Amino acid sequence: MSDIIQTFMEEHKKISESMEDLKKKCLIFLEQDQIDLEEFREAVSFIRSFVDKQHHQREEKLLFQAMMEELGEVAVNLVQHGMMVEHDLARLYAGALDAALKDWEESPDGENKLQILANAMGYYYLMVRHIDRENQVIYPYARRSLSQETLQRLNKELENDTETF
């Protein structure tokens, strides 16, 4: 049987690797004034399909929902006013990065370069802190505080989650 928290932590490793790749792309653009638009588009696609639709939405639907239902006000505050706000901010950065890439194609100027770098690095720094907070605070709290029955149910739900992402 899957372990939902371990699965999410493994997904964080994949996300962290992609964030380091995104930072490298930004450095090349900044220092060498070279951009591979297709690579940046692939990064946005990964963010939308894997990070958001697979990882964040499953966290929200499964783990965070269970935490709010079972653990009360502390969990509600952690989830609604912390993790889900950061998920929404990540979506904002991804959308702004996508728009900046389109603007760059139309007008490859300093302002559009700045928008690409600002949104890509904003997303990068947000995710670095977010992943650390989930791995060090949220997940251990969930593992410690949720009942064994709830954790087992979540593990089973994760295994049975057949939505296409």
Side-chain angles (χ1 to χ4, degrees):
M1 181 178 292
S2 296
D3 178 317
I4 191 167
I5 293 171
Q6 186 61 40
T7 298
F8 287 159
M9 290 179 78
E10 288 170 12
E11 290 175 357
H12 279 170
K13 290 176 188 173
K14 184 175 181 178
I15 294 165
S16 293
E17 288 173 9
S18 74
M19 291 302 95
E20 291 305 315
D21 286 343
L22 181 62
K23 183 170 81 171
K24 287 176 188 172
K25 289 173 184 49
C26 288
L27 280 170
I28 290 168
F29 190 26
L30 177 68
E31 294 173 348
Q32 300 172 18
D33 206 31
Q34 296 175 3
I35 184 169
D36 185 327
L37 287 171
E38 190 55 36
E39 286 183 354
F40 271 86
R41 283 193 187 95
E42 287 171 7
V44 171
S45 178
F46 175 80
I47 288 167
R48 287 183 167 157
S49 65
F50 182 78
V51 178
D52 189 41
K53 288 190 177 171
Q54 180 167 331
H55 181 75
H56 285 164
Q57 288 185 20
R58 287 190 312 166
E59 277 181 330
E60 292 170 8
K61 182 175 89 173
L62 300 174
L63 183 62
F64 293 170
Q65 188 62 41
M67 290 174 68
M68 290 189 296
E69 289 170 1
E70 187 170 314
L71 305 178
E73 189 174 340
V74 170
V76 169
N77 285 331
L78 283 172
V79 169
Q80 287 184 342
H81 305 296
M83 299 302 96
M84 292 182 67
V85 169
E86 291 179 1
H87 287 184
D88 286 342
L89 186 54
R91 292 174 187 117
L92 176 75
Y93 277 126
L97 175 56
D98 190 36
L101 293 168
K102 291 174 185 164
D103 291 344
W104 173 264
E105 273 190 309
E106 293 176 17
S107 178
D109 59 25
E111 185 171 330
N112 289 325
K113 179 178 184 176
L114 181 61
Q115 288 300 317
I116 291 169
L117 293 171
N119 286 293
M121 291 309 299
Y123 187 88
Y124 168 85
Y125 286 115
L126 173 67
M127 291 308 298
V128 166
R129 290 186 306 271
H130 180 79
I131 287 170
D132 184 60
R133 201 167 9 263
E134 285 184 341
N135 286 351
Q136 302 301 318
V137 178
I138 302 300
Y139 295 163
Y141 173 64
R143 191 176 298 283
R144 223 180 22 253
S145 302
L146 290 171
S147 69
Q148 285 304 306
E149 293 80 19
T150 297
L151 287 170
Q152 288 174 358
R153 176 181 55 81
L154 291 172
N155 292 341
K156 186 171 179 140
E157 286 181 27
L158 181 66
E159 279 185 2
N160 294 330
D161 191 0
T162 58
E163 288 185 41
T164 302
F165 295 104

